[in-house]
Amino acid sequence: MIKKITVDSEFFNPKDTLECGQIFRFFPAEKGYLVLSGSRACELINEGQNTVIVCDEENEQYFYNYFDLDTDYSGIFARAQSSKYGILKKASSLGKGVRILKQDSEEMLFSFLISQNNNIPRIKKIINSLCEKLGEKKNFLNHEYYAFPTASALQGASEDLLKECGLGYRAPYLRILSNEILTNNLLSKLKDLNEDSLKAELLKIKGIGEKVANCALLFGFYKTKSFPVDVWIEKIYREDFGGLLTDRSKITAFFINEFAFDAGYFQQYLFYYKRSLEKQPQN
DNA sequence: GGCCAGGATTTAA
DNA sequence: TTAAATCATGGC
């Protein structure tokens, strides 16, 4: 049985939400997009005033939560609009339809582990390649897709297979992380932690530093008091906030101090804005 | 052909 | 404690 969830599109635009850099597994479809999370799939379609989520009945609650439908984004948007920083007004106007997705924690850990020193098109390519080689084949409506690989599938993959996916020097990081997940039950340990101790635990994982930890906090564990700083954010910090700090962890601290629990949302507005102005046309 | 990408680890100073 | 060097890979 197929279900449809219909939501007002003012604060939920599929393009804004999917293309703001938080998710790597989505594909244009005949109408809207095919969106994948773990082993599940849905379609996300804009119909003027409405945004429609189409999914199997058994996944209805999952995607309701996934798209963060219980959070009212009008307040977040209003605070961005009334900010003393003009750039935040512009950025939030452009990205008014952005929502922070509640993605699968394990998938996000692996995904952002792959993201380091990498660009978004290639990150997508690597992850899709991993899914095709190691994920379970599934079907939804007329779509054929692959689930995100399980930790044991990733752990069991040969070095050669991982390199074929384009992982390069990151391949060992994935193996170490999947081993932690399987032997130490890492995910259930992480789920109960508050943001400070969670961040400390994330930083112990090989291949996860300050930036990736912040991404994992925000996109994998929904801690909105986090603020990933990459080259785009550093650029906007320098050019539009007049910032002078160069140490990225200090830049993170600056923004968290400014925006507190809005930091993660505002970061996405800013990242999406800056990148949409300057990104190369083929993406 | 050198530079860059949702950087982190290792090694040197 | 901070500063470089190094790590695959593909697009420009």
Short mmCIF file of all heavy atoms in Angstrom, two decimals, chain A residues 144-201:
data_model
loop_
_atom_site.label_atom_id
_atom_site.label_comp_id
_atom_site.label_asym_id
_atom_site.label_seq_id
_atom_site.Cartn_x
_atom_site.Cartn_y
_atom_site.Cartn_z
N GLU A 144 14.31 0.86 -9.27
CA GLU A 144 15.20 -0.15 -8.71
C GLU A 144 16.32 0.61 -8.01
O GLU A 144 16.86 1.56 -8.57
CB GLU A 144 15.76 -1.00 -9.84
CG GLU A 144 16.62 -2.14 -9.40
CD GLU A 144 17.02 -2.97 -10.62
OE1 GLU A 144 16.27 -3.87 -11.02
OE2 GLU A 144 18.10 -2.67 -11.17
N TYR A 145 16.64 0.21 -6.79
CA TYR A 145 17.70 0.92 -6.07
C TYR A 145 18.43 -0.05 -5.15
O TYR A 145 18.04 -1.21 -5.02
CB TYR A 145 17.11 2.10 -5.28
CG TYR A 145 16.27 1.70 -4.08
CD1 TYR A 145 16.82 1.67 -2.80
CD2 TYR A 145 14.93 1.36 -4.23
CE1 TYR A 145 16.04 1.31 -1.70
CE2 TYR A 145 14.15 0.99 -3.14
CZ TYR A 145 14.71 0.98 -1.87
OH TYR A 145 13.96 0.61 -0.80
N TYR A 146 19.49 0.44 -4.53
CA TYR A 146 20.27 -0.40 -3.61
C TYR A 146 20.29 0.23 -2.23
O TYR A 146 20.46 1.44 -2.08
CB TYR A 146 21.71 -0.54 -4.12
CG TYR A 146 21.79 -1.33 -5.40
CD1 TYR A 146 21.63 -0.72 -6.64
CD2 TYR A 146 22.02 -2.70 -5.36
CE1 TYR A 146 21.67 -1.44 -7.81
CE2 TYR A 146 22.07 -3.44 -6.54
CZ TYR A 146 21.90 -2.81 -7.76
OH TYR A 146 21.95 -3.54 -8.91
N ALA A 147 20.13 -0.62 -1.21
CA ALA A 147 20.20 -0.16 0.16
C ALA A 147 21.62 0.27 0.49
O ALA A 147 22.58 -0.16 -0.16
CB ALA A 147 19.78 -1.27 1.12
N PHE A 148 21.78 1.11 1.49
CA PHE A 148 23.11 1.43 1.98
C PHE A 148 23.70 0.17 2.60
O PHE A 148 23.00 -0.56 3.30
CB PHE A 148 23.05 2.56 3.01
CG PHE A 148 24.41 3.15 3.30
CD1 PHE A 148 24.92 4.15 2.50
CD2 PHE A 148 25.18 2.68 4.36
CE1 PHE A 148 26.18 4.68 2.75
CE2 PHE A 148 26.44 3.21 4.61
CZ PHE A 148 26.94 4.21 3.80
N PRO A 149 24.97 -0.11 2.35
CA PRO A 149 25.55 -1.37 2.86
C PRO A 149 25.52 -1.45 4.38
O PRO A 149 25.67 -0.44 5.07
CB PRO A 149 27.01 -1.30 2.38
CG PRO A 149 27.03 -0.31 1.29
CD PRO A 149 25.93 0.66 1.56
N THR A 150 25.32 -2.65 4.89
CA THR A 150 25.41 -2.86 6.32
C THR A 150 26.87 -2.80 6.75
O THR A 150 27.78 -2.92 5.93
CB THR A 150 24.87 -4.25 6.71
OG1 THR A 150 25.68 -5.24 6.06
CG2 THR A 150 23.43 -4.42 6.27
N ALA A 151 27.07 -2.62 8.07
CA ALA A 151 28.44 -2.58 8.59
C ALA A 151 29.17 -3.88 8.29
O ALA A 151 30.37 -3.87 7.98
CB ALA A 151 28.43 -2.30 10.08
N SER A 152 28.46 -5.00 8.36
CA SER A 152 29.15 -6.26 8.12
C SER A 152 29.50 -6.42 6.65
O SER A 152 30.54 -6.98 6.31
CB SER A 152 28.34 -7.45 8.63
OG SER A 152 27.04 -7.41 8.13
N ALA A 153 28.65 -5.90 5.76
CA ALA A 153 29.00 -5.93 4.34
C ALA A 153 30.25 -5.09 4.08
O ALA A 153 31.13 -5.48 3.30
CB ALA A 153 27.83 -5.42 3.50
N LEU A 154 30.32 -3.94 4.74
CA LEU A 154 31.49 -3.07 4.55
C LEU A 154 32.74 -3.69 5.14
O LEU A 154 33.83 -3.62 4.57
CB LEU A 154 31.23 -1.70 5.18
CG LEU A 154 30.24 -0.81 4.43
CD1 LEU A 154 29.80 0.36 5.28
CD2 LEU A 154 30.85 -0.31 3.13
N GLN A 155 32.57 -4.30 6.30
CA GLN A 155 33.73 -4.94 6.95
C GLN A 155 34.26 -6.10 6.11
O GLN A 155 35.46 -6.33 6.03
CB GLN A 155 33.34 -5.44 8.34
CG GLN A 155 34.53 -5.86 9.19
CD GLN A 155 34.10 -6.65 10.39
OE1 GLN A 155 33.18 -7.46 10.32
NE2 GLN A 155 34.76 -6.43 11.51
N GLY A 156 33.34 -6.81 5.49
CA GLY A 156 33.73 -7.97 4.71
C GLY A 156 34.27 -7.66 3.32
O GLY A 156 34.78 -8.54 2.64
N ALA A 157 34.14 -6.39 2.91
CA ALA A 157 34.57 -6.04 1.56
C ALA A 157 36.09 -6.06 1.44
O ALA A 157 36.79 -5.63 2.35
CB ALA A 157 34.04 -4.66 1.19
N SER A 158 36.57 -6.53 0.32
CA SER A 158 38.02 -6.57 0.12
C SER A 158 38.55 -5.16 -0.13
O SER A 158 37.82 -4.27 -0.56
CB SER A 158 38.35 -7.45 -1.08
OG SER A 158 37.95 -6.81 -2.27
N GLU A 159 39.82 -5.01 0.16
CA GLU A 159 40.49 -3.73 -0.08
C GLU A 159 40.33 -3.31 -1.55
O GLU A 159 40.07 -2.15 -1.86
CB GLU A 159 41.99 -3.89 0.26
CG GLU A 159 42.75 -2.60 0.35
CD GLU A 159 42.63 -1.95 1.73
OE1 GLU A 159 42.18 -2.64 2.66
OE2 GLU A 159 42.97 -0.77 1.85
N ASP A 160 40.46 -4.28 -2.44
CA ASP A 160 40.36 -3.99 -3.87
C ASP A 160 38.98 -3.47 -4.24
O ASP A 160 38.85 -2.51 -4.99
CB ASP A 160 40.66 -5.25 -4.69
CG ASP A 160 42.15 -5.55 -4.75
OD1 ASP A 160 42.93 -4.65 -4.34
OD2 ASP A 160 42.52 -6.65 -5.17
N LEU A 161 37.95 -4.11 -3.67
CA LEU A 161 36.60 -3.68 -4.00
C LEU A 161 36.36 -2.25 -3.52
O LEU A 161 35.74 -1.44 -4.22
CB LEU A 161 35.58 -4.63 -3.37
CG LEU A 161 34.15 -4.43 -3.85
CD1 LEU A 161 33.43 -5.76 -3.97
CD2 LEU A 161 33.37 -3.53 -2.90
N LEU A 162 36.85 -1.95 -2.32
CA LEU A 162 36.67 -0.59 -1.79
C LEU A 162 37.41 0.42 -2.66
O LEU A 162 36.91 1.51 -2.93
CB LEU A 162 37.17 -0.53 -0.35
CG LEU A 162 36.37 -1.35 0.67
CD1 LEU A 162 36.94 -1.19 2.07
CD2 LEU A 162 34.90 -0.95 0.68
N LYS A 163 38.59 0.06 -3.10
CA LYS A 163 39.36 0.98 -3.95
C LYS A 163 38.66 1.17 -5.30
O LYS A 163 38.70 2.25 -5.87
CB LYS A 163 40.78 0.44 -4.14
CG LYS A 163 41.58 0.40 -2.85
CD LYS A 163 42.66 1.46 -2.80
CE LYS A 163 43.15 1.72 -1.39
NZ LYS A 163 44.44 1.13 -1.06
N GLU A 164 38.03 0.12 -5.78
CA GLU A 164 37.29 0.25 -7.04
C GLU A 164 36.17 1.28 -6.93
O GLU A 164 35.78 1.89 -7.91
CB GLU A 164 36.65 -1.09 -7.42
CG GLU A 164 37.55 -2.04 -8.18
CD GLU A 164 36.87 -3.38 -8.38
OE1 GLU A 164 35.65 -3.38 -8.62
OE2 GLU A 164 37.56 -4.41 -8.26
N CYS A 165 35.65 1.44 -5.73
CA CYS A 165 34.61 2.44 -5.52
C CYS A 165 35.18 3.85 -5.48
O CYS A 165 34.43 4.82 -5.42
CB CYS A 165 33.86 2.16 -4.23
SG CYS A 165 32.97 0.60 -4.23
N GLY A 166 36.49 3.98 -5.47
CA GLY A 166 37.11 5.30 -5.48
C GLY A 166 37.42 5.84 -4.10
O GLY A 166 37.68 7.03 -3.94
N LEU A 167 37.42 4.97 -3.10
CA LEU A 167 37.65 5.43 -1.73
C LEU A 167 39.07 5.91 -1.49
O LEU A 167 39.31 6.74 -0.61
CB LEU A 167 37.33 4.31 -0.74
CG LEU A 167 35.86 4.17 -0.41
CD1 LEU A 167 35.60 2.87 0.30
CD2 LEU A 167 35.41 5.33 0.46
N GLY A 168 40.02 5.37 -2.24
CA GLY A 168 41.41 5.78 -2.04
C GLY A 168 41.89 5.47 -0.63
O GLY A 168 41.59 4.43 -0.07
N TYR A 169 42.60 6.44 -0.06
CA TYR A 169 43.20 6.20 1.27
C TYR A 169 42.17 6.10 2.39
O TYR A 169 42.49 5.73 3.51
CB TYR A 169 44.18 7.34 1.60
CG TYR A 169 43.50 8.67 1.81
CD1 TYR A 169 43.08 9.07 3.08
CD2 TYR A 169 43.25 9.53 0.75
CE1 TYR A 169 42.46 10.28 3.28
CE2 TYR A 169 42.62 10.74 0.93
CZ TYR A 169 42.23 11.11 2.20
OH TYR A 169 41.60 12.31 2.40
N ARG A 170 40.89 6.41 2.08
CA ARG A 170 39.85 6.37 3.10
C ARG A 170 39.37 4.95 3.39
O ARG A 170 38.66 4.71 4.36
CB ARG A 170 38.67 7.23 2.69
CG ARG A 170 39.03 8.65 2.35
CD ARG A 170 37.86 9.40 1.75
NE ARG A 170 38.26 10.69 1.20
CZ ARG A 170 38.78 10.86 0.00
NH1 ARG A 170 38.95 9.82 -0.80
NH2 ARG A 170 39.13 12.06 -0.42
N ALA A 171 39.72 4.01 2.51
CA ALA A 171 39.22 2.64 2.66
C ALA A 171 39.44 2.05 4.05
O ALA A 171 38.51 1.49 4.64
CB ALA A 171 39.82 1.75 1.57
N PRO A 172 40.64 2.17 4.61
CA PRO A 172 40.84 1.60 5.95
C PRO A 172 39.95 2.23 7.02
O PRO A 172 39.54 1.55 7.97
CB PRO A 172 42.32 1.90 6.26
CG PRO A 172 42.95 2.18 4.96
CD PRO A 172 41.89 2.69 4.05
N TYR A 173 39.65 3.52 6.87
CA TYR A 173 38.78 4.19 7.85
C TYR A 173 37.42 3.49 7.93
O TYR A 173 36.84 3.32 9.00
CB TYR A 173 38.56 5.65 7.47
CG TYR A 173 39.80 6.52 7.46
CD1 TYR A 173 39.81 7.73 6.79
CD2 TYR A 173 40.97 6.13 8.14
CE1 TYR A 173 40.93 8.55 6.78
CE2 TYR A 173 42.09 6.94 8.13
CZ TYR A 173 42.07 8.14 7.44
OH TYR A 173 43.17 8.95 7.42
N LEU A 174 36.89 3.12 6.77
CA LEU A 174 35.58 2.47 6.75
C LEU A 174 35.64 1.11 7.43
O LEU A 174 34.72 0.72 8.14
CB LEU A 174 35.08 2.29 5.32
CG LEU A 174 34.19 3.41 4.80
CD1 LEU A 174 35.03 4.61 4.43
CD2 LEU A 174 33.36 2.95 3.62
N ARG A 175 36.71 0.41 7.19
CA ARG A 175 36.84 -0.91 7.78
C ARG A 175 36.93 -0.81 9.30
O ARG A 175 36.29 -1.56 10.03
CB ARG A 175 38.08 -1.59 7.19
CG ARG A 175 38.30 -2.97 7.63
CD ARG A 175 37.93 -4.13 6.69
NE ARG A 175 38.17 -4.03 5.27
CZ ARG A 175 39.33 -3.76 4.68
NH1 ARG A 175 40.40 -3.49 5.40
NH2 ARG A 175 39.43 -3.77 3.40
N ILE A 176 37.71 0.16 9.80
CA ILE A 176 37.85 0.34 11.24
C ILE A 176 36.51 0.72 11.87
O ILE A 176 36.12 0.18 12.90
CB ILE A 176 38.92 1.40 11.55
CG1 ILE A 176 40.30 0.90 11.10
CG2 ILE A 176 38.94 1.76 13.02
CD1 ILE A 176 41.38 1.97 11.08
N LEU A 177 35.80 1.63 11.21
CA LEU A 177 34.50 2.05 11.75
C LEU A 177 33.49 0.90 11.76
O LEU A 177 32.79 0.71 12.75
CB LEU A 177 33.94 3.24 10.94
CG LEU A 177 32.54 3.71 11.32
CD1 LEU A 177 32.45 4.08 12.80
CD2 LEU A 177 32.12 4.91 10.46
N SER A 178 33.44 0.14 10.69
CA SER A 178 32.47 -0.96 10.69
C SER A 178 32.83 -1.99 11.75
O SER A 178 31.94 -2.59 12.37
CB SER A 178 32.36 -1.61 9.31
OG SER A 178 33.55 -1.58 8.62
N ASN A 179 34.10 -2.17 11.99
CA ASN A 179 34.52 -3.07 13.05
C ASN A 179 34.06 -2.58 14.42
O ASN A 179 33.56 -3.36 15.24
CB ASN A 179 36.04 -3.22 13.02
CG ASN A 179 36.50 -4.44 13.76
OD1 ASN A 179 36.01 -5.54 13.50
ND2 ASN A 179 37.41 -4.27 14.68
N GLU A 180 34.20 -1.28 14.68
CA GLU A 180 33.72 -0.69 15.93
C GLU A 180 32.22 -0.90 16.10
O GLU A 180 31.74 -1.20 17.20
CB GLU A 180 34.01 0.81 15.94
CG GLU A 180 35.41 1.17 16.35
CD GLU A 180 35.67 0.83 17.81
OE1 GLU A 180 34.96 1.34 18.67
OE2 GLU A 180 36.59 0.02 18.06
N ILE A 181 31.50 -0.72 15.01
CA ILE A 181 30.05 -0.86 15.07
C ILE A 181 29.67 -2.30 15.39
O ILE A 181 28.78 -2.55 16.22
CB ILE A 181 29.43 -0.42 13.73
CG1 ILE A 181 29.57 1.10 13.56
CG2 ILE A 181 27.96 -0.84 13.63
CD1 ILE A 181 29.21 1.62 12.18
N LEU A 182 30.37 -3.24 14.78
CA LEU A 182 29.99 -4.64 14.94
C LEU A 182 30.46 -5.23 16.27
O LEU A 182 29.73 -5.98 16.91
CB LEU A 182 30.57 -5.46 13.78
CG LEU A 182 29.95 -5.16 12.42
CD1 LEU A 182 30.76 -5.80 11.31
CD2 LEU A 182 28.51 -5.64 12.37
N THR A 183 31.66 -4.89 16.68
CA THR A 183 32.19 -5.54 17.88
C THR A 183 31.89 -4.78 19.15
O THR A 183 31.79 -5.37 20.22
CB THR A 183 33.72 -5.76 17.77
OG1 THR A 183 34.35 -4.48 17.67
CG2 THR A 183 34.05 -6.58 16.55
N ASN A 184 31.74 -3.45 19.07
CA ASN A 184 31.51 -2.67 20.29
C ASN A 184 30.12 -2.05 20.36
O ASN A 184 29.85 -1.24 21.24
CB ASN A 184 32.55 -1.56 20.41
CG ASN A 184 33.91 -2.11 20.76
OD1 ASN A 184 34.01 -3.18 21.36
ND2 ASN A 184 34.95 -1.40 20.37
N ASN A 185 29.27 -2.40 19.42
CA ASN A 185 27.92 -1.86 19.41
C ASN A 185 27.94 -0.34 19.48
O ASN A 185 27.21 0.28 20.27
CB ASN A 185 27.13 -2.45 20.59
CG ASN A 185 25.64 -2.48 20.30
OD1 ASN A 185 25.21 -2.06 19.22
ND2 ASN A 185 24.87 -2.93 21.26
N LEU A 186 28.78 0.25 18.66
CA LEU A 186 29.05 1.68 18.73
C LEU A 186 27.81 2.56 18.62
O LEU A 186 27.63 3.50 19.39
CB LEU A 186 30.05 2.07 17.62
CG LEU A 186 30.46 3.54 17.57
CD1 LEU A 186 31.24 3.92 18.81
CD2 LEU A 186 31.27 3.82 16.32
N LEU A 187 26.92 2.23 17.69
CA LEU A 187 25.78 3.11 17.44
C LEU A 187 24.87 3.26 18.66
O LEU A 187 24.46 4.37 18.99
CB LEU A 187 24.98 2.61 16.24
CG LEU A 187 25.29 3.27 14.91
CD1 LEU A 187 24.97 4.76 14.95
CD2 LEU A 187 26.76 3.10 14.52
N SER A 188 24.59 2.16 19.33
CA SER A 188 23.69 2.27 20.48
C SER A 188 24.37 3.02 21.62
O SER A 188 23.71 3.69 22.41
CB SER A 188 23.22 0.89 20.93
OG SER A 188 24.32 0.12 21.31
N LYS A 189 25.70 2.94 21.68
CA LYS A 189 26.42 3.74 22.68
C LYS A 189 26.29 5.22 22.39
O LYS A 189 26.13 6.04 23.30
CB LYS A 189 27.91 3.38 22.67
CG LYS A 189 28.25 2.11 23.39
CD LYS A 189 29.78 1.91 23.38
CE LYS A 189 30.13 0.56 23.98
NZ LYS A 189 31.56 0.24 23.78
N LEU A 190 26.36 5.59 21.13
CA LEU A 190 26.36 7.00 20.75
C LEU A 190 24.99 7.65 20.90
O LEU A 190 24.88 8.83 21.21
CB LEU A 190 26.85 7.16 19.30
CG LEU A 190 28.28 6.73 19.01
CD1 LEU A 190 28.62 6.96 17.55
CD2 LEU A 190 29.27 7.48 19.90
N LYS A 191 23.96 6.87 20.68
CA LYS A 191 22.62 7.45 20.59
C LYS A 191 22.15 8.16 21.85
O LYS A 191 21.37 9.10 21.78
CB LYS A 191 21.60 6.37 20.20
CG LYS A 191 21.67 6.00 18.72
CD LYS A 191 20.43 5.25 18.28
CE LYS A 191 20.63 4.52 16.95
NZ LYS A 191 20.76 5.41 15.79
N ASP A 192 22.65 7.71 23.00
CA ASP A 192 22.16 8.29 24.26
C ASP A 192 22.95 9.48 24.75
O ASP A 192 22.60 10.09 25.76
CB ASP A 192 22.16 7.22 25.35
CG ASP A 192 21.22 6.08 25.01
OD1 ASP A 192 20.17 6.36 24.41
OD2 ASP A 192 21.55 4.92 25.33
N LEU A 193 24.03 9.83 24.07
CA LEU A 193 24.92 10.87 24.59
C LEU A 193 24.42 12.27 24.27
O LEU A 193 23.77 12.50 23.27
CB LEU A 193 26.32 10.68 23.99
CG LEU A 193 26.99 9.33 24.28
CD1 LEU A 193 28.32 9.24 23.55
CD2 LEU A 193 27.17 9.13 25.77
N ASN A 194 24.76 13.22 25.15
CA ASN A 194 24.50 14.62 24.83
C ASN A 194 25.55 15.11 23.84
O ASN A 194 26.52 14.41 23.57
CB ASN A 194 24.49 15.48 26.09
CG ASN A 194 25.86 15.52 26.77
OD1 ASN A 194 26.90 15.61 26.10
ND2 ASN A 194 25.87 15.43 28.08
N GLU A 195 25.36 16.31 23.30
CA GLU A 195 26.21 16.71 22.17
C GLU A 195 27.69 16.80 22.50
O GLU A 195 28.52 16.45 21.66
CB GLU A 195 25.72 18.00 21.53
CG GLU A 195 25.34 19.07 22.50
CD GLU A 195 24.21 19.91 21.92
OE1 GLU A 195 23.05 19.53 22.03
OE2 GLU A 195 24.52 20.97 21.37
N ASP A 196 28.02 17.24 23.72
CA ASP A 196 29.43 17.38 24.05
C ASP A 196 30.14 16.03 24.15
O ASP A 196 31.20 15.84 23.58
CB ASP A 196 29.59 18.17 25.36
CG ASP A 196 29.23 19.63 25.18
OD1 ASP A 196 29.32 20.12 24.03
OD2 ASP A 196 28.85 20.28 26.16
N SER A 197 29.53 15.11 24.88
CA SER A 197 30.19 13.81 25.00
C SER A 197 30.09 13.02 23.70
O SER A 197 30.99 12.25 23.37
CB SER A 197 29.62 13.01 26.18
OG SER A 197 28.24 13.21 26.31
N LEU A 198 29.02 13.25 22.95
CA LEU A 198 28.92 12.60 21.64
C LEU A 198 30.04 13.08 20.71
O LEU A 198 30.70 12.27 20.05
CB LEU A 198 27.55 12.91 21.01
CG LEU A 198 27.33 12.40 19.58
CD1 LEU A 198 27.57 10.91 19.48
CD2 LEU A 198 25.91 12.73 19.12
N LYS A 199 30.28 14.37 20.71
CA LYS A 199 31.35 14.91 19.87
C LYS A 199 32.70 14.31 20.29
O LYS A 199 33.50 13.92 19.44
CB LYS A 199 31.39 16.43 19.96
CG LYS A 199 32.41 17.05 19.04
CD LYS A 199 32.33 18.56 19.06
CE LYS A 199 33.36 19.18 18.13
NZ LYS A 199 33.32 20.66 18.20
N ALA A 200 32.92 14.23 21.58
CA ALA A 200 34.18 13.66 22.07
C ALA A 200 34.35 12.22 21.60
O ALA A 200 35.44 11.81 21.21
CB ALA A 200 34.22 13.74 23.59
N GLU A 201 33.25 11.47 21.63
CA GLU A 201 33.32 10.07 21.17
C GLU A 201 33.56 9.99 19.67
O GLU A 201 34.31 9.15 19.20
CB GLU A 201 32.04 9.32 21.54
CG GLU A 201 31.89 9.02 23.02
CD GLU A 201 33.06 8.23 23.57
OE1 GLU A 201 33.44 7.21 22.96
OE2 GLU A 201 33.62 8.66 24.61
#
